[in-house]
Amino acid sequence: MPIPRKLSALILATAFLLGGCASRGPVPTFYDFGPAAPLAAAPAAAPAVPVLVIADANGPSWLDSQRMYYRLLYADAQQSRPYAYNRWNTPPLQLLSQRLKTRVAQSGVKVLSTTDAAAGIPLLRIDVDDFSQNFDTQTQSSGHVSLRASLFRGHRLIDQKTFSRSGPAGSADAQGGAQALAAASDAISADLLAWLGTLNLPKE
């Protein structure tokens, strides 16, 4: 008995949808830094910079996407490769900006955004140079973060310093890289706080 035309069309549509699902590649896995753990110790004294405006980090365009990159230093250190099925939840520039703001706020500093800036409040600018997982061998890698911090008051540069941190990855994959980069970012946050604590801001 011939199949009714409507039923035949339904069968074809179902087969097309199932075929499309079967042909899709693996579902991407998404990573971020995880929750920010409390600081190891409470601040011993009032922060040297009680109120601070922190601008969102700037950096190369490849850090403004959700792709996760790595380098094979043992093969071609000049080539940056993206993971095929692993992504950041949020572009690294945003992840790093938020983690720095969180760590600075945890230290007791009142953190404001650029839209809340007022005259006389110091402004911290961050320029990221590198944020990647580097493989020294096929089984050993580390997360590397490098940035330049500049502190301004008004249009006057108070100080500028470059920070660089690396941390070993627990596994030779994207998950290990994400954990290593989170640890390196936290280490840089601690370095930045220590630097801010050494600055003597001139009075307006």
Side-chain angles (χ1 to χ4, degrees):
M1 182 174 65
I3 301 175
R5 183 173 299 176
K6 289 184 178 180
L7 180 59
S8 177
L10 179 62
I11 293 172
L12 288 173
T14 302
F16 176 79
L17 289 174
L18 291 175
C21 292
S23 64
R24 290 178 183 174
V27 176
T29 301
F30 291 89
Y31 295 94
D32 57 25
F33 286 171
L39 294 179
V49 184
V51 183
L52 184 63
V53 174
I54 301 181
D56 290 337
N58 295 311
S61 59
W62 60 274
L63 290 178
D64 203 20
S65 76
Q66 291 177 257
R67 306 198 77 173
M68 298 181 73
Y69 287 89
Y70 64 93
R71 293 179 187 274
L72 303 179
L73 300 184
Y74 63 89
D76 185 359
Q78 282 70 46
Q79 184 176 1
S80 181
R81 298 171 168 86
Y83 278 103
Y85 301 111
N86 298 280
R87 301 283 189 274
W88 292 109
N89 274 339
T90 306
L93 289 178
Q94 295 181 34
L95 280 175
L96 189 55
S97 295
Q98 188 56 50
R99 181 51 60 97
L100 289 173
K101 291 177 182 179
T102 298
R103 289 305 191 192
V104 172
Q106 285 179 330
S107 74
V109 176
K110 293 180 174 61
V111 176
L112 303 179
S113 66
T114 51
T115 56
D116 299 323
I121 297 179
L123 168 67
L124 181 67
R125 291 182 180 173
I126 301 295
D127 293 287
V128 183
D129 296 318
D130 193 21
F131 184 94
S132 59
Q133 182 181 9
N134 297 328
F135 282 83
D136 295 310
T137 68
Q138 291 184 354
T139 58
Q140 293 184 334
S141 69
S142 60
H144 181 72
V145 179
S146 178
L147 58 82
R148 182 174 62 263
S150 305
L151 186 67
F152 293 86
R153 193 168 197 171
H155 296 289
R156 178 182 178 184
L157 176 64
I158 303 301
D159 199 5
Q160 184 180 88
K161 189 170 182 178
T162 297
F163 299 90
S164 183
R165 280 283 192 160
S166 295
S171 56
D173 54 16
Q175 181 180 6
Q179 293 170 346
L181 285 164
S185 299
D186 280 338
I188 276 190
S189 298
D191 293 342
L192 189 145
L193 283 170
W195 169 65
L196 288 175
T198 67
L199 302 179
N200 294 316
L201 296 181
K203 295 182 180 180
E204 288 291 297

